[in-house]
Amino acid sequence: MLEFESAFDALLAISLFIISVSTLGLVYRVIKGPSVPDRVMALDSIGINLIAITAITSIILRTDAFLEVILLIGVIAFVGTVAFSKFLQKGEIIEYDRDN
């Protein structure tokens, strides 16, 4: 049986479980998504959920050692989403034509 020190710890554990289950659903969407934009949205949401899972774990462990990890996941998720969006819009990520 799980024992929590406070109601706040129980709330953190429940939210961690819900976000983890949500991430599994998003992994399913990435694999079976009906279209590429759906898959890109699912990947972006997985990045956000990873940030939330890391932050909740940091709160549960009562440490600030994961703050840099949270920042790094956020930057990588943002750059990945921008790159996928540009690829979907123009068909290329880096434009080599400098005249436009």
Side-chain angles (χ1 to χ4, degrees):
M1 183 79 185
L2 294 175
E3 292 185 22
F4 299 105
E5 292 181 15
S6 66
F8 183 67
D9 289 339
L11 183 66
L12 288 174
I14 291 169
S15 62
L16 188 61
F17 175 75
I18 291 171
I19 292 172
S20 299
V21 171
S22 155
T23 302
L24 291 177
L26 290 169
V27 168
Y28 176 76
R29 176 59 62 193
V30 168
I31 294 170
K32 299 290 279 186
S35 66
V36 175
D38 291 331
R39 291 179 174 151
V40 171
M41 287 293 296
L43 280 174
D44 187 45
S45 298
I46 287 173
I48 293 170
N49 282 0
L50 285 177
I51 291 171
I53 288 171
T54 307
I56 292 172
T57 303
S58 178
I59 293 171
I60 289 173
L61 296 177
R62 291 173 174 74
T63 181
D64 58 353
F66 299 120
L67 293 179
E68 290 87 7
V69 174
I70 292 170
L71 181 63
L72 185 63
I73 292 172
V75 169
I76 290 172
F78 174 74
V79 171
T81 301
V82 169
F84 274 123
S85 299
K86 190 168 182 180
F87 179 75
L88 289 176
Q89 182 182 20
K90 297 183 177 181
E92 61 184 351
I93 297 173
I94 299 173
E95 297 177 16
Y96 294 106
D97 187 19
R98 294 182 183 214
D99 293 334
N100 293 335

